[in-house]
mmCIF file of all heavy atoms in Angstrom:
data_model
loop_
_atom_site.group_PDB
_atom_site.id
_atom_site.type_symbol
_atom_site.label_atom_id
_atom_site.label_comp_id
_atom_site.label_asym_id
_atom_site.label_seq_id
_atom_site.Cartn_x
_atom_site.Cartn_y
_atom_site.Cartn_z
ATOM 1 N N ALA A 53 0.708 -9.653 11.244
ATOM 2 C CA ALA A 53 0.560 -11.098 11.242
ATOM 3 C C ALA A 53 0.598 -11.594 12.687
ATOM 4 O O ALA A 53 1.171 -10.932 13.558
ATOM 5 C CB ALA A 53 1.682 -11.734 10.432
ATOM 6 N N PRO A 54 -0.009 -12.751 12.962
ATOM 7 C CA PRO A 54 -0.014 -13.284 14.325
ATOM 8 C C PRO A 54 1.397 -13.417 14.893
ATOM 9 O O PRO A 54 2.283 -13.954 14.246
ATOM 10 C CB PRO A 54 -0.675 -14.653 14.160
ATOM 11 C CG PRO A 54 -1.522 -14.510 12.951
ATOM 12 C CD PRO A 54 -0.765 -13.597 12.034
ATOM 13 N N GLY A 55 1.602 -12.869 16.086
ATOM 14 C CA GLY A 55 2.891 -12.976 16.734
ATOM 15 C C GLY A 55 3.947 -12.030 16.227
ATOM 16 O O GLY A 55 5.103 -12.103 16.655
ATOM 17 N N LYS A 56 3.568 -11.136 15.306
ATOM 18 C CA LYS A 56 4.539 -10.198 14.734
ATOM 19 C C LYS A 56 4.113 -8.760 14.993
ATOM 20 O O LYS A 56 2.945 -8.483 15.252
ATOM 21 C CB LYS A 56 4.695 -10.441 13.235
ATOM 22 C CG LYS A 56 5.323 -11.780 12.886
ATOM 23 C CD LYS A 56 5.618 -11.867 11.405
ATOM 24 C CE LYS A 56 6.321 -13.170 11.056
ATOM 25 N NZ LYS A 56 6.651 -13.249 9.597
ATOM 26 N N GLN A 57 5.060 -7.854 14.904
ATOM 27 C CA GLN A 57 4.757 -6.442 15.070
ATOM 28 C C GLN A 57 4.039 -5.899 13.841
ATOM 29 O O GLN A 57 4.185 -6.420 12.735
ATOM 30 C CB GLN A 57 6.059 -5.656 15.293
ATOM 31 C CG GLN A 57 6.698 -5.895 16.658
ATOM 32 C CD GLN A 57 7.846 -4.934 16.921
ATOM 33 O OE1 GLN A 57 8.477 -4.448 15.985
ATOM 34 N NE2 GLN A 57 8.109 -4.659 18.179
ATOM 35 N N ARG A 58 3.271 -4.850 14.077
ATOM 36 C CA ARG A 58 2.608 -4.175 12.970
ATOM 37 C C ARG A 58 3.661 -3.578 12.044
ATOM 38 O O ARG A 58 4.632 -2.966 12.499
ATOM 39 C CB ARG A 58 1.674 -3.093 13.509
ATOM 40 C CG ARG A 58 0.794 -2.446 12.467
ATOM 41 C CD ARG A 58 -0.247 -1.566 13.124
ATOM 42 N NE ARG A 58 -1.182 -2.355 13.924
ATOM 43 C CZ ARG A 58 -2.239 -1.839 14.550
ATOM 44 N NH1 ARG A 58 -2.476 -0.542 14.469
ATOM 45 N NH2 ARG A 58 -3.027 -2.611 15.248
ATOM 46 N N GLU A 59 3.436 -3.740 10.748
ATOM 47 C CA GLU A 59 4.413 -3.328 9.751
ATOM 48 C C GLU A 59 3.788 -2.351 8.765
ATOM 49 O O GLU A 59 2.677 -2.591 8.269
ATOM 50 C CB GLU A 59 4.908 -4.568 8.998
ATOM 51 C CG GLU A 59 5.833 -4.307 7.843
ATOM 52 C CD GLU A 59 6.143 -5.554 7.038
ATOM 53 O OE1 GLU A 59 5.225 -6.344 6.783
ATOM 54 O OE2 GLU A 59 7.303 -5.716 6.644
ATOM 55 N N LEU A 60 4.514 -1.281 8.465
ATOM 56 C CA LEU A 60 4.062 -0.356 7.441
ATOM 57 C C LEU A 60 4.240 -0.995 6.075
ATOM 58 O O LEU A 60 5.324 -1.477 5.747
ATOM 59 C CB LEU A 60 4.863 0.944 7.515
ATOM 60 C CG LEU A 60 4.611 1.962 6.421
ATOM 61 C CD1 LEU A 60 3.181 2.459 6.458
ATOM 62 C CD2 LEU A 60 5.595 3.120 6.531
ATOM 63 N N VAL A 61 3.188 -0.993 5.275
ATOM 64 C CA VAL A 61 3.239 -1.585 3.944
ATOM 65 C C VAL A 61 3.431 -0.509 2.879
ATOM 66 O O VAL A 61 4.318 -0.615 2.026
ATOM 67 C CB VAL A 61 1.957 -2.382 3.645
ATOM 68 C CG1 VAL A 61 1.987 -2.937 2.222
ATOM 69 C CG2 VAL A 61 1.780 -3.504 4.656
ATOM 70 N N ALA A 62 2.588 0.528 2.910
ATOM 71 C CA ALA A 62 2.656 1.568 1.888
ATOM 72 C C ALA A 62 1.992 2.826 2.411
ATOM 73 O O ALA A 62 1.073 2.751 3.229
ATOM 74 C CB ALA A 62 1.964 1.107 0.608
ATOM 75 N N THR A 63 2.459 3.968 1.924
ATOM 76 C CA THR A 63 1.860 5.242 2.275
ATOM 77 C C THR A 63 1.679 6.091 1.031
ATOM 78 O O THR A 63 2.382 5.908 0.023
ATOM 79 C CB THR A 63 2.724 6.039 3.265
ATOM 80 O OG1 THR A 63 4.008 6.277 2.680
ATOM 81 C CG2 THR A 63 2.891 5.303 4.581
ATOM 82 N N ILE A 64 0.726 7.029 1.120
ATOM 83 C CA ILE A 64 0.524 7.995 0.055
ATOM 84 C C ILE A 64 0.170 9.327 0.697
ATOM 85 O O ILE A 64 -0.675 9.391 1.589
ATOM 86 C CB ILE A 64 -0.570 7.528 -0.935
ATOM 87 C CG1 ILE A 64 -0.686 8.493 -2.113
ATOM 88 C CG2 ILE A 64 -1.907 7.316 -0.247
ATOM 89 C CD1 ILE A 64 -1.485 7.925 -3.281
ATOM 90 N N THR A 65 0.854 10.382 0.268
ATOM 91 C CA THR A 65 0.606 11.695 0.837
ATOM 92 C C THR A 65 -0.531 12.397 0.105
ATOM 93 O O THR A 65 -1.010 11.930 -0.931
ATOM 94 C CB THR A 65 1.867 12.566 0.730
ATOM 95 O OG1 THR A 65 2.110 12.847 -0.661
ATOM 96 C CG2 THR A 65 3.068 11.861 1.336
ATOM 97 N N SER A 66 -0.939 13.537 0.642
ATOM 98 C CA SER A 66 -1.990 14.318 -0.011
ATOM 99 C C SER A 66 -1.538 14.798 -1.392
ATOM 100 O O SER A 66 -2.370 15.027 -2.270
ATOM 101 C CB SER A 66 -2.377 15.516 0.857
ATOM 102 O OG SER A 66 -1.232 16.309 1.132
ATOM 103 N N GLY A 67 -0.234 14.888 -1.597
ATOM 104 C CA GLY A 67 0.286 15.291 -2.895
ATOM 105 C C GLY A 67 0.494 14.140 -3.854
ATOM 106 O O GLY A 67 0.864 14.347 -5.014
ATOM 107 N N GLY A 68 0.266 12.914 -3.368
ATOM 108 C CA GLY A 68 0.367 11.754 -4.239
ATOM 109 C C GLY A 68 1.681 11.001 -4.182
ATOM 110 O O GLY A 68 1.862 10.007 -4.889
ATOM 111 N N SER A 69 2.598 11.433 -3.345
ATOM 112 C CA SER A 69 3.865 10.705 -3.210
ATOM 113 C C SER A 69 3.631 9.397 -2.482
ATOM 114 O O SER A 69 2.886 9.347 -1.504
ATOM 115 C CB SER A 69 4.877 11.552 -2.445
ATOM 116 O OG SER A 69 5.173 12.738 -3.146
ATOM 117 N N THR A 70 4.298 8.349 -2.959
ATOM 118 C CA THR A 70 4.096 7.021 -2.388
ATOM 119 C C THR A 70 5.396 6.452 -1.843
ATOM 120 O O THR A 70 6.498 6.833 -2.270
ATOM 121 C CB THR A 70 3.521 6.051 -3.425
ATOM 122 O OG1 THR A 70 4.432 5.971 -4.540
ATOM 123 C CG2 THR A 70 2.166 6.522 -3.921
ATOM 124 N N ASN A 71 5.243 5.518 -0.927
ATOM 125 C CA ASN A 71 6.389 4.853 -0.341
ATOM 126 C C ASN A 71 5.974 3.433 0.010
ATOM 127 O O ASN A 71 4.823 3.201 0.404
ATOM 128 C CB ASN A 71 6.857 5.582 0.921
ATOM 129 C CG ASN A 71 8.173 5.038 1.424
ATOM 130 O OD1 ASN A 71 9.091 4.794 0.652
ATOM 131 N ND2 ASN A 71 8.270 4.837 2.729
ATOM 132 N N TYR A 72 6.903 2.479 -0.150
ATOM 133 C CA TYR A 72 6.578 1.069 0.080
ATOM 134 C C TYR A 72 7.680 0.400 0.903
ATOM 135 O O TYR A 72 8.868 0.740 0.772
ATOM 136 C CB TYR A 72 6.459 0.323 -1.255
ATOM 137 C CG TYR A 72 5.399 0.847 -2.177
ATOM 138 C CD1 TYR A 72 5.691 1.842 -3.106
ATOM 139 C CD2 TYR A 72 4.100 0.350 -2.117
ATOM 140 C CE1 TYR A 72 4.712 2.334 -3.948
ATOM 141 C CE2 TYR A 72 3.120 0.836 -2.965
ATOM 142 C CZ TYR A 72 3.433 1.827 -3.874
ATOM 143 O OH TYR A 72 2.460 2.304 -4.710
ATOM 144 N N VAL A 73 7.276 -0.595 1.662
ATOM 145 C CA VAL A 73 8.266 -1.444 2.312
ATOM 146 C C VAL A 73 8.910 -2.301 1.221
ATOM 147 O O VAL A 73 8.278 -2.645 0.215
ATOM 148 C CB VAL A 73 7.601 -2.321 3.401
ATOM 149 C CG1 VAL A 73 6.645 -3.327 2.795
ATOM 150 C CG2 VAL A 73 8.649 -2.981 4.261
ATOM 151 N N ASN A 74 10.189 -2.617 1.400
ATOM 152 C CA ASN A 74 10.938 -3.304 0.335
ATOM 153 C C ASN A 74 10.276 -4.609 -0.103
ATOM 154 O O ASN A 74 10.312 -4.956 -1.284
ATOM 155 C CB ASN A 74 12.364 -3.574 0.795
ATOM 156 C CG ASN A 74 13.220 -2.318 0.790
ATOM 157 O OD1 ASN A 74 12.921 -1.348 0.109
ATOM 158 N ND2 ASN A 74 14.286 -2.343 1.564
ATOM 159 N N SER A 75 9.675 -5.316 0.825
ATOM 160 C CA SER A 75 9.141 -6.637 0.509
ATOM 161 C C SER A 75 7.953 -6.608 -0.446
ATOM 162 O O SER A 75 7.589 -7.655 -1.000
ATOM 163 C CB SER A 75 8.753 -7.367 1.794
ATOM 164 O OG SER A 75 7.771 -6.642 2.502
ATOM 165 N N VAL A 76 7.330 -5.461 -0.652
ATOM 166 C CA VAL A 76 6.174 -5.388 -1.541
ATOM 167 C C VAL A 76 6.428 -4.539 -2.779
ATOM 168 O O VAL A 76 5.568 -4.447 -3.653
ATOM 169 C CB VAL A 76 4.916 -4.861 -0.807
ATOM 170 C CG1 VAL A 76 4.658 -5.655 0.459
ATOM 171 C CG2 VAL A 76 5.016 -3.372 -0.527
ATOM 172 N N LYS A 77 7.590 -3.927 -2.871
ATOM 173 C CA LYS A 77 7.903 -3.082 -4.029
ATOM 174 C C LYS A 77 7.817 -3.901 -5.308
ATOM 175 O O LYS A 77 8.347 -5.007 -5.395
ATOM 176 C CB LYS A 77 9.295 -2.472 -3.877
ATOM 177 C CG LYS A 77 9.352 -1.329 -2.898
ATOM 178 C CD LYS A 77 10.760 -0.730 -2.811
ATOM 179 C CE LYS A 77 10.802 0.428 -1.820
ATOM 180 N NZ LYS A 77 12.167 0.988 -1.690
ATOM 181 N N GLY A 78 7.138 -3.336 -6.295
ATOM 182 C CA GLY A 78 6.964 -4.017 -7.562
ATOM 183 C C GLY A 78 5.765 -4.937 -7.595
ATOM 184 O O GLY A 78 5.396 -5.440 -8.663
ATOM 185 N N ARG A 79 5.162 -5.193 -6.443
ATOM 186 C CA ARG A 79 3.994 -6.068 -6.379
ATOM 187 C C ARG A 79 2.730 -5.335 -5.920
ATOM 188 O O ARG A 79 1.631 -5.639 -6.388
ATOM 189 C CB ARG A 79 4.250 -7.242 -5.426
ATOM 190 C CG ARG A 79 5.426 -8.111 -5.806
ATOM 191 C CD ARG A 79 5.485 -9.369 -4.944
ATOM 192 N NE ARG A 79 5.685 -9.069 -3.532
ATOM 193 C CZ ARG A 79 4.854 -9.472 -2.558
ATOM 194 N NH1 ARG A 79 3.778 -10.173 -2.856
ATOM 195 N NH2 ARG A 79 5.133 -9.190 -1.289
ATOM 196 N N PHE A 80 2.882 -4.395 -4.999
ATOM 197 C CA PHE A 80 1.741 -3.665 -4.450
ATOM 198 C C PHE A 80 1.748 -2.226 -4.963
ATOM 199 O O PHE A 80 2.816 -1.635 -5.168
ATOM 200 C CB PHE A 80 1.812 -3.628 -2.921
ATOM 201 C CG PHE A 80 1.577 -4.947 -2.239
ATOM 202 C CD1 PHE A 80 1.528 -6.149 -2.935
ATOM 203 C CD2 PHE A 80 1.411 -4.985 -0.858
ATOM 204 C CE1 PHE A 80 1.314 -7.357 -2.295
ATOM 205 C CE2 PHE A 80 1.197 -6.186 -0.205
ATOM 206 C CZ PHE A 80 1.152 -7.364 -0.915
ATOM 207 N N THR A 81 0.546 -1.670 -5.124
ATOM 208 C CA THR A 81 0.403 -0.275 -5.523
ATOM 209 C C THR A 81 -0.665 0.390 -4.669
ATOM 210 O O THR A 81 -1.797 -0.099 -4.605
ATOM 211 C CB THR A 81 0.017 -0.150 -7.002
ATOM 212 O OG1 THR A 81 0.994 -0.817 -7.823
ATOM 213 C CG2 THR A 81 -0.062 1.309 -7.416
ATOM 214 N N ILE A 82 -0.288 1.500 -4.044
ATOM 215 C CA ILE A 82 -1.253 2.282 -3.272
ATOM 216 C C ILE A 82 -1.725 3.445 -4.131
ATOM 217 O O ILE A 82 -0.943 4.046 -4.870
ATOM 218 C CB ILE A 82 -0.635 2.781 -1.941
ATOM 219 C CG1 ILE A 82 -1.701 3.409 -1.057
ATOM 220 C CG2 ILE A 82 0.533 3.728 -2.180
ATOM 221 C CD1 ILE A 82 -1.215 3.719 0.363
ATOM 222 N N SER A 83 -3.014 3.744 -4.049
ATOM 223 C CA SER A 83 -3.569 4.857 -4.809
ATOM 224 C C SER A 83 -4.734 5.443 -4.037
ATOM 225 O O SER A 83 -5.220 4.851 -3.073
ATOM 226 C CB SER A 83 -4.021 4.394 -6.198
ATOM 227 O OG SER A 83 -5.047 3.427 -6.099
ATOM 228 N N ARG A 84 -5.169 6.624 -4.458
ATOM 229 C CA ARG A 84 -6.290 7.261 -3.779
ATOM 230 C C ARG A 84 -7.210 7.913 -4.798
ATOM 231 O O ARG A 84 -6.749 8.413 -5.827
ATOM 232 C CB ARG A 84 -5.795 8.272 -2.749
ATOM 233 C CG ARG A 84 -5.021 9.450 -3.312
ATOM 234 C CD ARG A 84 -4.314 10.220 -2.208
ATOM 235 N NE ARG A 84 -5.256 10.790 -1.253
ATOM 236 C CZ ARG A 84 -4.901 11.318 -0.083
ATOM 237 N NH1 ARG A 84 -3.630 11.310 0.281
ATOM 238 N NH2 ARG A 84 -5.798 11.831 0.717
ATOM 239 N N ASP A 85 -8.501 7.887 -4.488
ATOM 240 C CA ASP A 85 -9.521 8.550 -5.295
ATOM 241 C C ASP A 85 -10.117 9.630 -4.402
ATOM 242 O O ASP A 85 -10.892 9.328 -3.493
ATOM 243 C CB ASP A 85 -10.575 7.541 -5.753
ATOM 244 C CG ASP A 85 -11.596 8.156 -6.691
ATOM 245 O OD1 ASP A 85 -11.914 9.347 -6.540
ATOM 246 O OD2 ASP A 85 -12.087 7.434 -7.572
ATOM 247 N N ASN A 86 -9.747 10.876 -4.650
ATOM 248 C CA ASN A 86 -10.183 11.966 -3.784
ATOM 249 C C ASN A 86 -11.673 12.275 -3.943
ATOM 250 O O ASN A 86 -12.276 12.847 -3.045
ATOM 251 C CB ASN A 86 -9.359 13.215 -4.057
ATOM 252 C CG ASN A 86 -7.913 13.051 -3.623
ATOM 253 O OD1 ASN A 86 -7.637 12.360 -2.641
ATOM 254 N ND2 ASN A 86 -6.999 13.664 -4.344
ATOM 255 N N VAL A 87 -12.245 11.919 -5.069
ATOM 256 C CA VAL A 87 -13.683 12.132 -5.275
ATOM 257 C C VAL A 87 -14.475 11.130 -4.440
ATOM 258 O O VAL A 87 -15.456 11.475 -3.787
ATOM 259 C CB VAL A 87 -14.047 12.004 -6.762
ATOM 260 C CG1 VAL A 87 -15.561 12.092 -6.945
ATOM 261 C CG2 VAL A 87 -13.342 13.085 -7.570
ATOM 262 N N LYS A 88 -14.029 9.890 -4.443
ATOM 263 C CA LYS A 88 -14.718 8.844 -3.685
ATOM 264 C C LYS A 88 -14.232 8.751 -2.239
ATOM 265 O O LYS A 88 -14.749 7.953 -1.459
ATOM 266 C CB LYS A 88 -14.525 7.491 -4.377
ATOM 267 C CG LYS A 88 -15.167 7.401 -5.750
ATOM 268 C CD LYS A 88 -14.986 6.009 -6.343
ATOM 269 C CE LYS A 88 -15.680 5.903 -7.691
ATOM 270 N NZ LYS A 88 -15.502 4.542 -8.288
ATOM 271 N N ASN A 89 -13.214 9.549 -1.895
ATOM 272 C CA ASN A 89 -12.623 9.467 -0.541
ATOM 273 C C ASN A 89 -12.270 8.036 -0.185
ATOM 274 O O ASN A 89 -12.665 7.500 0.868
ATOM 275 C CB ASN A 89 -13.572 10.047 0.507
ATOM 276 C CG ASN A 89 -13.543 11.559 0.531
ATOM 277 O OD1 ASN A 89 -12.547 12.185 0.164
ATOM 278 N ND2 ASN A 89 -14.646 12.155 0.936
ATOM 279 N N THR A 90 -11.528 7.419 -1.070
ATOM 280 C CA THR A 90 -11.150 6.018 -0.894
ATOM 281 C C THR A 90 -9.678 5.838 -1.245
ATOM 282 O O THR A 90 -9.187 6.436 -2.201
ATOM 283 C CB THR A 90 -12.009 5.103 -1.783
ATOM 284 O OG1 THR A 90 -13.388 5.292 -1.457
ATOM 285 C CG2 THR A 90 -11.654 3.642 -1.571
ATOM 286 N N VAL A 91 -9.014 5.028 -0.456
ATOM 287 C CA VAL A 91 -7.630 4.650 -0.721
ATOM 288 C C VAL A 91 -7.605 3.161 -1.041
ATOM 289 O O VAL A 91 -8.313 2.376 -0.393
ATOM 290 C CB VAL A 91 -6.725 4.950 0.481
ATOM 291 C CG1 VAL A 91 -5.312 4.420 0.246
ATOM 292 C CG2 VAL A 91 -6.676 6.443 0.735
ATOM 293 N N TYR A 92 -6.803 2.797 -2.027
ATOM 294 C CA TYR A 92 -6.740 1.414 -2.473
ATOM 295 C C TYR A 92 -5.339 0.839 -2.278
ATOM 296 O O TYR A 92 -4.346 1.558 -2.271
ATOM 297 C CB TYR A 92 -7.104 1.316 -3.957
ATOM 298 C CG TYR A 92 -8.445 1.880 -4.308
ATOM 299 C CD1 TYR A 92 -8.566 3.172 -4.826
ATOM 300 C CD2 TYR A 92 -9.606 1.134 -4.108
ATOM 301 C CE1 TYR A 92 -9.805 3.703 -5.142
ATOM 302 C CE2 TYR A 92 -10.850 1.662 -4.423
ATOM 303 C CZ TYR A 92 -10.945 2.943 -4.940
ATOM 304 O OH TYR A 92 -12.167 3.463 -5.246
ATOM 305 N N LEU A 93 -5.293 -0.467 -2.137
ATOM 306 C CA LEU A 93 -4.017 -1.177 -2.172
ATOM 307 C C LEU A 93 -4.194 -2.347 -3.126
ATOM 308 O O LEU A 93 -4.870 -3.324 -2.807
ATOM 309 C CB LEU A 93 -3.604 -1.676 -0.783
ATOM 310 C CG LEU A 93 -2.225 -2.329 -0.736
ATOM 311 C CD1 LEU A 93 -1.127 -1.287 -0.991
ATOM 312 C CD2 LEU A 93 -1.986 -3.014 0.618
ATOM 313 N N GLN A 94 -3.622 -2.211 -4.311
ATOM 314 C CA GLN A 94 -3.640 -3.290 -5.285
ATOM 315 C C GLN A 94 -2.478 -4.216 -4.996
ATOM 316 O O GLN A 94 -1.321 -3.781 -4.984
ATOM 317 C CB GLN A 94 -3.527 -2.737 -6.707
ATOM 318 C CG GLN A 94 -3.488 -3.796 -7.785
ATOM 319 C CD GLN A 94 -4.773 -4.565 -7.908
ATOM 320 O OE1 GLN A 94 -5.862 -3.978 -7.878
ATOM 321 N NE2 GLN A 94 -4.688 -5.886 -8.040
ATOM 322 N N MET A 95 -2.781 -5.474 -4.755
ATOM 323 C CA MET A 95 -1.752 -6.442 -4.377
ATOM 324 C C MET A 95 -1.694 -7.535 -5.439
ATOM 325 O O MET A 95 -2.667 -8.274 -5.627
ATOM 326 C CB MET A 95 -2.077 -7.050 -3.006
ATOM 327 C CG MET A 95 -2.295 -6.016 -1.914
ATOM 328 S SD MET A 95 -2.495 -6.740 -0.281
ATOM 329 C CE MET A 95 -4.021 -7.639 -0.508
ATOM 330 N N ASN A 96 -0.572 -7.610 -6.122
ATOM 331 C CA ASN A 96 -0.357 -8.616 -7.166
ATOM 332 C C ASN A 96 0.732 -9.588 -6.752
ATOM 333 O O ASN A 96 1.540 -9.293 -5.866
ATOM 334 C CB ASN A 96 0.031 -7.936 -8.477
ATOM 335 C CG ASN A 96 -1.053 -7.010 -9.005
ATOM 336 O OD1 ASN A 96 -2.249 -7.250 -8.796
ATOM 337 N ND2 ASN A 96 -0.645 -5.950 -9.682
ATOM 338 N N ASN A 97 0.756 -10.728 -7.414
ATOM 339 C CA ASN A 97 1.770 -11.735 -7.137
ATOM 340 C C ASN A 97 1.877 -11.998 -5.633
ATOM 341 O O ASN A 97 2.964 -11.970 -5.053
ATOM 342 C CB ASN A 97 3.127 -11.308 -7.695
ATOM 343 C CG ASN A 97 4.150 -12.425 -7.664
ATOM 344 O OD1 ASN A 97 3.794 -13.604 -7.603
ATOM 345 N ND2 ASN A 97 5.417 -12.066 -7.690
ATOM 346 N N LEU A 98 0.744 -12.262 -5.020
ATOM 347 C CA LEU A 98 0.703 -12.469 -3.577
ATOM 348 C C LEU A 98 1.527 -13.674 -3.160
ATOM 349 O O LEU A 98 1.620 -14.677 -3.893
ATOM 350 C CB LEU A 98 -0.738 -12.642 -3.120
ATOM 351 C CG LEU A 98 -1.561 -11.345 -3.061
ATOM 352 C CD1 LEU A 98 -3.045 -11.654 -3.011
ATOM 353 C CD2 LEU A 98 -1.139 -10.520 -1.858
ATOM 354 N N LYS A 99 2.101 -13.559 -1.977
ATOM 355 C CA LYS A 99 2.919 -14.626 -1.403
ATOM 356 C C LYS A 99 2.347 -15.033 -0.045
ATOM 357 O O LYS A 99 1.694 -14.211 0.616
ATOM 358 C CB LYS A 99 4.359 -14.139 -1.234
ATOM 359 C CG LYS A 99 5.024 -13.669 -2.516
ATOM 360 C CD LYS A 99 6.420 -13.147 -2.253
ATOM 361 C CE LYS A 99 7.078 -12.678 -3.548
ATOM 362 N NZ LYS A 99 8.458 -12.185 -3.313
#
């Protein structure tokens, strides 16, 4: 965000393990499609 440091939101490993910053837990979901070589971030209940 403007004037703020870069913040880690979510990660996903090659094995599928995920991790989230506390502020987005329960609202955001990270996923990956290895066939399409695409990573997604589904963001619900945006603030």
Side-chain angles (χ1 to χ4, degrees):
K56 294 188 177 182
Q57 288 189 333
R58 188 170 295 184
E59 175 187 42
L60 174 63
V61 177
T63 59
I64 185 166
T65 68
S66 56
S69 297
T70 59
N71 189 44
Y72 300 90
V73 66
N74 285 339
S75 60
V76 308
K77 284 182 180 178
R79 301 189 297 123
F80 290 11
T81 303
I82 189 171
S83 62
R84 63 193 298 169
D85 185 327
N86 292 327
V87 174
K88 295 183 178 180
N89 281 334
T90 302
V91 174
Y92 303 98
L93 185 68
Q94 178 66 44
M95 306 186 295
N96 298 329
N97 191 21
L98 284 163
K99 302 177 180 181

